[in-house]
Amino acid sequence: MDYIEIAKRVFDIEARAVGLLGDKLDNSFSQAVQQILNSSGRVIVCGMGKSGIIGKKIAATLASTGTPSFFMHPGEAYHGDLGMVTADDVFVAISNSGETDEVVKLIPFLRNSGNYLVAMTGSPASTLARAAHSHLDVGVPEEACPLQLAPTSSTTATLAMGDALAVTLMKARDFKPENFARFHPGGSLGRRLLSRVEDEMVKVNLPLVPEDARVLDVIQAITRGSLGLAIVEHSEGWGLVTDGDIRRAIERFSEAVFDKRAGELMSREPAMVPLGTRVEDALMLMDKRQITSLLVFEGERVVGVFKK
């Protein structure tokens, strides 16, 4: 038995299923998108079994990309959770057969409440498809399952249709990275776009030295600060001596380096940003200058060091 060939056949079958979806799109897709854009409510995604698992992912993708959404289990819906549905909500019901009893049972309630119903099914002639205002056809030629029993290609196709819906809505809303970051404050993008340098900078026990400090004093300040640098205060503003500057000075002056002063070794125009600078902008400046540290200032004072 060739396990790799089996896996490749699964990929081929599922890729073909997704590839055919584009030909199935019609005005129903555009109507569903426009209805969601016009709605002041949320998108409620509902499905049973494997369709429900896919529905949870679709709801999560919608919610994180600018379309308020949540998943509702059809069984729980029929036993009280329908109280969470308002007339302004758009309801997305997922059922490959379009005949899933727990989902079909919700149709009278949705009709009476005036909810716009979007159905994702593999059967345009099914009860759910015919009851929907918009039907998104996710039918597939075959399942990847050799027994044609386990939902495989059909769930992949449904997931892809949900992604198409979410991405289309993103573009229609002109959803930007800053918007995405608001819903993902704990991720790296949230950090870059939402955080400010003062949220992450070192601001206590800064390694400050005067311009006339001896090299040994500068080295001690660098060690004490654990930032790989010393900040030099001089008559024209601020300078910077890094541990790299010290190494290069040793190579150049040898033992005579210990006769030098901080003002002789420092960079006179260190990279600096004001308090309130976004982390994203600070990181872009650091990439451009190919450096790993920035001085942060407020007025005439250096108040912190921001590092990658």
Side-chain angles (χ1 to χ4, degrees):
M1 183 177 293
D2 191 330
Y3 300 142
I4 292 178
E5 284 305 313
I6 295 172
K8 285 183 177 180
R9 176 165 170 73
V10 171
F11 297 150
D12 289 342
I13 293 173
E14 299 206 5
R16 185 159 62 95
V18 172
L20 292 173
L21 288 179
D23 295 333
K24 296 174 179 289
L25 289 177
D26 55 23
N27 196 48
S28 274
F29 183 86
S30 299
Q31 290 175 346
V33 170
Q34 196 59 55
Q35 185 66 33
I36 293 171
L37 290 172
N38 292 343
S39 173
S40 59
R42 302 138 315 165
V43 174
I44 301 174
V45 185
C46 182
M48 193 74 184
K50 305 296 189 298
S51 292
I53 294 171
I54 296 300
K56 289 179 182 178
K57 194 277 178 183
I58 292 173
T61 300
L62 288 168
S64 69
T65 54
T67 300
S69 178
F70 66 88
F71 176 79
M72 178 177 288
H73 190 284
E76 299 297 332
Y78 203 65
H79 290 280
D81 278 5
L82 285 174
M84 293 187 283
V85 182
T86 71
D88 294 323
D89 295 331
V90 175
F91 207 89
V92 177
I94 303 172
S95 167
N96 187 48
S97 67
E99 302 294 345
T100 304
D101 186 58
E102 294 87 347
V103 176
V104 170
K105 276 183 177 180
L106 302 177
I107 293 174
F109 169 85
L110 298 171
R111 184 184 296 123
N112 291 337
S113 297
N115 294 104
Y116 191 91
L117 176 59
V118 179
M120 288 191 191
T121 84
S123 176
S126 64
T127 301
L128 182 60
R130 287 186 286 106
H133 298 91
S134 291
H135 175 243
L136 308 184
D137 188 349
V138 292
V140 298
E142 62 177 319
E143 297 287 4
C145 167
L147 302 177
Q148 298 302 300
L149 296 175
T152 45
S153 303
S154 58
T155 48
T156 300
T158 304
L159 184 61
M161 184 65 77
D163 286 343
L165 188 63
V167 171
T168 303
L169 288 164
M170 284 179 69
K171 287 187 173 292
R173 297 184 194 280
D174 194 24
F175 195 79
K176 299 182 182 301
E178 291 83 355
N179 305 122
F180 188 85
R182 288 186 59 243
F183 303 131
H184 300 77
S188 59
L189 181 62
R191 169 186 175 254
R192 292 175 69 103
L193 295 176
L194 298 181
S195 298
R196 307 289 170 172
V197 288
E198 58 265 32
D199 297 325
E200 302 189 18
M201 70 184 185
V202 176
K203 50 192 170 186
V204 295
N205 299 321
L206 295 177
L208 297 165
V209 297
E211 187 175 9
D212 61 353
R214 298 175 306 162
V215 167
L216 187 58
D217 295 328
V218 174
I219 293 173
Q220 290 174 341
I222 292 174
T223 302
R224 184 176 64 252
S226 300
L227 297 173
L229 56 83
I231 304 166
V232 184
E233 186 174 5
H234 63 95
S235 57
E236 298 177 10
W238 300 92
L240 205 62
V241 179
T242 67
D243 49 10
D245 293 328
I246 297 294
R247 289 194 301 272
R248 286 185 287 272
I250 292 173
E251 291 176 350
R252 180 180 178 187
F253 300 112
S254 193
E255 291 85 354
V257 71
F258 292 103
D259 296 326
K260 301 296 181 181
R261 303 288 173 167
E264 299 176 80
L265 305 182
M266 70 182 183
S267 301
R268 290 188 171 272
E269 295 183 359
M272 303 178 68
V273 294
L275 208 66
T277 300
R278 293 190 314 170
V279 166
E280 167 73 358
D281 297 327
L283 291 172
M284 288 176 62
L285 175 60
M286 294 165 84
D287 289 341
K288 182 178 180 181
R289 297 278 294 267
Q290 295 185 326
I291 56 178
T292 59
S293 302
L294 285 176
L295 299 184
V296 181
F297 68 89
E298 182 179 29
E300 300 283 324
R301 300 181 305 117
V302 169
V303 294
V305 176
F306 176 81
K307 292 185 70 68
K308 273 189 175 180

